[in-house]
């Protein structure tokens, strides 16, 4: 017999029958879901922008600090902070570099602190300027507008073929430097400004306390031999050293270096004579500082003997000296007044900076710095 035929399955009468879904309803619910996700994304972005500001909100001593000024000072201090933290083991390759704490402080917080110190000093300069009636409307807060106005004037003069002094146009950095230098100069030249009225007795006390600064250099003459031993081959070096030894012995017996050196053919190209006047000491020290240091205390006729130092061979003889005493108080009085006023101004600047009220959310400023620094890292 063959296999029995399988019965066909039929739906039981009690089995639930599901109606077909409406495709339009499905589309409607999908659209609602997309709209909901979009609203959530927009809300997230809105909240994120609220926590990461695109501009700083900062006042120092009542002066608004423009965002571009804050960013300029921040960038100027960036490398110092990076060096400080990389020396402690952090790497700028880390995406979280600016947010990583070392000894309880992040690089962003350290950069903020340095930036704030410099901004307070800038604000103090403008505060002092305004207290003395120097103009500069808006103080630190108006620096960008003043720079733009100055650049516009310079551009117009150039287009008209007129001559202008200084830069053709300013950057924010050069303009800030220009204004703060101008403030310091104006302040220190006005005896009516606080701290600038210095009495004669104060000037003289300063002179006595810093007397070494006002000793006039002597006029000095040297004849000297200076050979760079790294620039000669071994055979030349041997000849030079042999002849230099013989010459040094002769000079040590009171002979004149310039006259005696003429007899030594290997040494003659390396012989020099200089007459250094008192007011030329600074410029000569840049060119032959090693010679001056070795021979400065020699008296006429004295020599250093043969010296080998830092790859050079020296033989120096003093051939003349005119000695000078301290410059008189009357000679340096104006110099002392200028120096004392500069020192007084710097002291006032620091005191004023420390007294200015800071209006800001420091946590928000730190977040701004993180955003700026990490943005640079991504680029």
């Amino acid at each position: 017999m063959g296999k029995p035929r399988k019965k066909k399955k039929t739906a039981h009468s009690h089995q639930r029958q599901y109606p077909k879904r409406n495709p339009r309803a499905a589309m409607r619910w999908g659209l609602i879901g997309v709209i909901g996700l979009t609203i959530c994304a927009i809300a997230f972005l809105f909240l994120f922008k609220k926590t990461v500001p695109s501009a700083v909100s900062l006042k120092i001593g009542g002066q608004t600090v423009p965002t571009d000024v804050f960013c300029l000072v921040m960038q100027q201090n960036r490398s110092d902070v990076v060096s400080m933290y990389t020396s402690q083991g952090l790497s700028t390759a880390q995406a979280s570099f600016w947010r990583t704490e070392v000894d309880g402080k992040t690089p962003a917080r350290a950069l903020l602190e340095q930036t704030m110190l410099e901004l307070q000093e800038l604000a103090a300069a403008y505060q002092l300027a305004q207290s003395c009636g120097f103009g500069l409307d808006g103080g630190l807060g108006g620096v960008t507008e003043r720079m733009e106005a100055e650049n516009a004037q310079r551009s117009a003069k150039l287009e008209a073929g007129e001559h202008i002094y200084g830069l053709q146009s300013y950057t924010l950095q050069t303009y800030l430097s220009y204004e703060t230098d101008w403030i310091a100069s104006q302040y220190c030249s006005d005896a009516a400004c606080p701290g600038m009225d210095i009495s004669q007795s104060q000037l003289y006390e300063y002179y006595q306390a810093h007397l070494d600064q006002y000793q006039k250099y002597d006029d000095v003459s040297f004849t000297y031999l200076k050979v760079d031993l790294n620039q000669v081959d071994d055979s030349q070096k041997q000849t030079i050293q042999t002849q230099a030894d013989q010459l040094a012995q002769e000079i040590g017996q009171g002979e004149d270096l310039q006259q005696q050196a003429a007899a030594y053919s290997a040494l003659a190209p390396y012989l020099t004579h200089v007459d250094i006047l008192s007011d030329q000491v600074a410029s000569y020290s840049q060119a032959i500082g090693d010679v001056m240091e070795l021979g400065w205390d020699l008296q006429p006729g004295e020599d250093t003997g043969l010296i080998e130092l830092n790859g050079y061979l020296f033989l120096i003889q003093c051939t003349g000296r005119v000695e000078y005493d301290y410059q008189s108080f009357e000679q340096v009085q104006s110099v002392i007044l200028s120096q004392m006023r500069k020192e007084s101004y710097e002291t006032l600047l620091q005191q004023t900076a420390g007294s200015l009220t800071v209006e800001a959310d420091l946590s928000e400023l730190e977040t701004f710095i993180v955003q700026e620094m990490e943005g640079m890292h991504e680029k």
Side-chain angles (χ1 to χ4, degrees):
M1 292 178 60
K3 291 182 180 180
R5 187 182 301 174
K6 291 183 179 179
K7 293 183 179 179
K8 293 182 179 179
K9 292 183 179 179
T10 57
H12 296 287
S13 60
H14 64 274
Q15 189 173 5
R16 182 176 294 179
Q17 302 293 315
Y18 291 96
K20 292 182 179 179
R21 295 188 66 180
N22 187 333
R24 289 186 178 180
M27 290 177 63
R28 185 163 54 247
W29 282 108
L31 183 60
I32 290 171
V34 170
I35 292 172
L37 288 171
T38 303
I39 292 171
C40 289
I42 292 171
F44 172 78
L45 289 173
F46 176 75
L47 290 171
F48 181 76
K49 286 190 174 182
K50 293 271 287 181
T51 57
V52 182
S54 58
V56 300
S57 177
L58 171 63
K59 284 187 176 182
I60 302 177
Q63 301 176 69
T64 300
V65 177
T67 299
D68 53 357
V69 173
F70 183 92
C71 288
L72 172 65
V73 176
M74 174 185 70
Q75 292 293 350
Q76 289 174 334
N77 286 282
R78 178 183 181 275
S79 60
D80 288 343
V81 172
V82 169
S83 296
M84 179 172 64
Y85 276 84
T86 52
S87 68
Q88 297 179 68
L90 276 188
S91 170
T92 53
Q94 297 174 239
S96 61
F97 173 83
W98 292 97
R99 291 174 277 115
T100 303
E101 284 193 6
V102 176
D103 294 333
K105 185 184 294 184
T106 65
R109 172 60 67 162
L111 180 54
L112 174 61
E113 290 175 357
Q114 289 195 24
T115 300
M116 289 299 295
L117 286 173
E118 194 166 325
L119 287 171
Q120 284 174 266
E121 191 170 310
L122 281 173
Y126 286 98
Q127 185 103 334
L128 290 174
Q130 290 175 328
S131 70
C132 292
F134 293 167
L136 304 178
D137 295 338
L140 181 58
V143 68
T144 305
E145 290 75 14
R146 291 193 299 274
M147 178 193 70
E148 290 172 349
E150 179 66 27
N151 283 341
Q153 289 180 5
R154 287 172 177 264
S155 178
K157 287 182 178 180
L158 286 171
E159 289 178 7
E162 297 180 35
H163 180 74
I164 61 171
Y165 295 94
L167 300 172
Q168 291 188 1
S169 64
Y170 287 99
T171 63
L172 183 58
Q173 181 177 356
T174 56
Y175 192 76
L176 266 173
S177 179
Y178 158 73
E179 277 201 342
T180 51
D181 286 349
W182 180 84
I183 291 169
S185 176
Q186 291 293 110
Y187 195 98
C188 291
S189 63
D190 189 346
C193 291
M196 297 298 110
D197 185 16
I198 299 171
S199 68
Q200 197 77 356
S201 62
Q202 288 174 306
L203 292 172
Y204 190 73
E205 285 175 12
Y206 189 96
Y207 171 74
Q208 291 291 337
H210 301 84
L211 199 56
D212 288 346
Q213 296 180 16
Y214 307 112
Q215 183 170 14
K216 186 178 179 181
Y217 290 115
D218 295 345
D219 296 339
V220 184
S221 296
F222 294 117
T223 298
Y224 66 92
L225 182 75
K226 179 180 177 181
V227 184
D228 185 350
L229 297 175
N230 296 311
Q231 298 299 316
V232 295
D233 59 36
D234 290 341
S235 62
Q236 288 177 308
K237 185 184 297 186
Q238 183 62 46
T239 302
I240 288 170
Q241 288 179 324
T242 300
Q243 292 189 7
D245 282 334
Q246 294 172 353
L247 181 59
Q249 291 176 19
E250 294 172 7
I251 302 308
Q253 295 172 3
E255 299 293 338
D256 181 82
L257 175 58
Q258 192 163 19
Q259 291 179 357
Q260 295 301 114
Y264 296 94
S265 58
L267 303 181
Y270 303 103
L271 195 70
T272 306
H273 179 83
V274 289
D275 297 310
I276 305 172
L277 299 178
S278 177
D279 58 0
Q280 297 176 322
V281 169
S283 58
Y284 269 101
S285 65
Q286 295 178 6
I288 56 168
D290 47 7
V291 172
M292 293 176 66
E293 184 175 352
L294 292 170
W296 188 253
D297 294 328
L298 296 175
Q299 292 299 315
E302 295 180 345
D303 67 271
T304 59
L306 197 60
I307 298 173
E308 189 170 339
L309 181 67
N310 298 327
Y312 286 86
L313 195 64
F314 295 94
L315 179 58
I316 305 165
Q317 185 178 58
C318 176
T319 59
R321 180 182 291 273
V322 177
E323 295 185 352
Y324 294 106
D325 201 350
Y326 296 106
Q327 293 173 281
S328 69
F329 172 68
E330 289 73 24
Q331 287 177 302
V332 296
Q333 184 174 340
S334 61
V335 176
I336 294 173
L337 176 61
S338 176
Q339 183 62 30
M340 288 188 72
R341 283 182 170 178
K342 286 178 182 177
E343 291 176 7
S344 180
Y345 176 76
E346 286 300 320
T347 300
L348 282 167
L349 196 64
Q350 297 302 320
Q351 291 174 347
T352 304
S355 68
L356 296 178
T357 302
V358 175
E359 300 173 58
D361 183 336
L362 295 181
S363 296
E364 189 175 274
L365 290 178
E366 186 176 346
T367 302
F368 176 83
I369 286 177
V370 171
Q371 177 196 29
E372 292 294 305
M373 294 298 105
E374 292 185 349
M376 286 177 59
H377 180 77
E378 289 172 3
K379 292 176 183 178

